[in-house]
Amino acid sequence: MSLNKDFSYADDGKHDEQSIEELFVIYKPSIYQFVYRYCQDEQLSIDIVQDTFIRFHKYHETFDESKSSVKTFLFRMAYQIMINRLKRRSRFKKLLPFLDHQNDQHELPLEDKLTIQSAIQQLPDDQRAVILLTYYHDQTQKEISKILEIPIGTVKSRLHTSLKKLKVILEVKE
């Protein structure tokens, strides 16, 4: 997929024509460093940089050169994506620490992984889909709503119900 559409962005106020590929080459290192220094997670940092440029491609029309530089716009996007991911990860760890697949300290024993997989398999199909898309594929509720073709309120209620069921199945104390 080639993104050869030209954009008129420059930090110094000059009107340079730069493609998304050029912007990626220019700003990827500094955005990655910022995100990595903030969250200390290499894979998450890589994912956030990639998602930032995907979002930029999708919403580049909202960029107003008179309000900020493209660098500022990209950093703002990266920061928002990072904060949302970290909040989601934090909620996940608090609700079901057993399911935290991002555990950096040590790998879960095979027995625990099987217990978790078994618990998730016990959920009804519709609830299982929401859990997997949310916590294993890092989709937003809005994205899940589109994927499953259900209202966002239904996504929220299925997520809430499935987390309660998993707590009971795994006997997780709050």
Side-chain angles (χ1 to χ4, degrees):
M1 170 174 84
S2 179
L3 305 172
N4 290 326
K5 181 174 179 180
D6 290 332
F7 301 96
S8 176
Y9 304 128
D11 284 338
D12 57 7
K14 296 178 185 168
H15 292 277
D16 294 341
E17 295 294 316
Q18 295 178 313
S19 69
I20 289 181
E21 292 95 346
E22 291 170 323
L23 293 173
F24 182 79
V25 169
I26 293 168
Y27 296 114
K28 174 194 167 254
S30 56
I31 292 172
Y32 172 82
Q33 288 172 354
F34 165 68
V35 173
Y36 182 76
R37 286 179 181 138
Y38 191 97
C39 68
Q40 296 295 305
D41 183 326
E42 183 178 1
Q43 187 58 50
L44 179 64
S45 301
I46 292 167
D47 291 345
I48 289 170
V49 170
Q50 184 176 22
D51 291 348
T52 298
F53 283 92
I54 290 169
R55 185 177 288 177
F56 176 75
H57 176 64
K58 187 174 180 181
Y59 297 108
H60 67 273
E61 301 87 22
T62 63
F63 173 70
D64 184 352
E65 196 173 357
S66 67
K67 291 183 180 178
S68 71
S69 69
V70 70
K71 182 178 182 179
T72 302
F73 190 69
L74 288 168
F75 268 78
R76 186 179 318 120
M77 278 185 173
Y79 179 75
Q80 290 169 345
I81 292 168
M82 176 182 62
I83 293 302
N84 288 338
R85 291 263 181 97
L86 292 174
K87 282 180 183 176
R88 197 174 321 146
R89 183 186 282 183
S90 176
R91 283 193 306 262
F92 178 63
K93 286 179 181 180
K94 286 177 187 171
L95 290 170
L96 294 168
F98 231 84
L99 294 180
D100 179 20
H101 67 286
Q102 299 289 336
N103 194 340
D104 316 77
Q105 306 303 332
H106 60 282
E107 188 71 20
L108 283 177
L110 180 60
E111 184 179 329
D112 290 346
K113 288 181 182 180
L114 294 173
T115 301
I116 293 165
Q117 289 175 354
S118 174
I120 291 172
Q121 290 301 316
Q122 292 177 44
L123 294 172
D125 291 344
D126 55 352
Q127 292 174 4
R128 185 173 344 127
V130 172
I131 285 288
L132 293 174
L133 288 169
T134 301
Y135 294 111
Y136 289 94
H137 298 283
D138 208 22
Q139 300 291 315
T140 65
Q141 291 178 349
K142 185 177 180 180
E143 291 166 336
I144 294 169
S145 171
K146 289 178 183 177
I147 291 168
L148 299 178
E149 297 178 326
I150 57 176
I152 196 162
T154 305
V155 172
K156 291 177 182 188
S157 66
R158 286 182 185 173
L159 183 58
H160 177 76
T161 303
S162 59
L163 287 173
K164 285 175 67 174
K165 286 182 181 180
L166 284 173
K167 279 184 177 181
V168 169
I169 294 168
L170 295 170
E171 298 178 20
V172 175
K173 307 249 190 239
E174 289 190 32

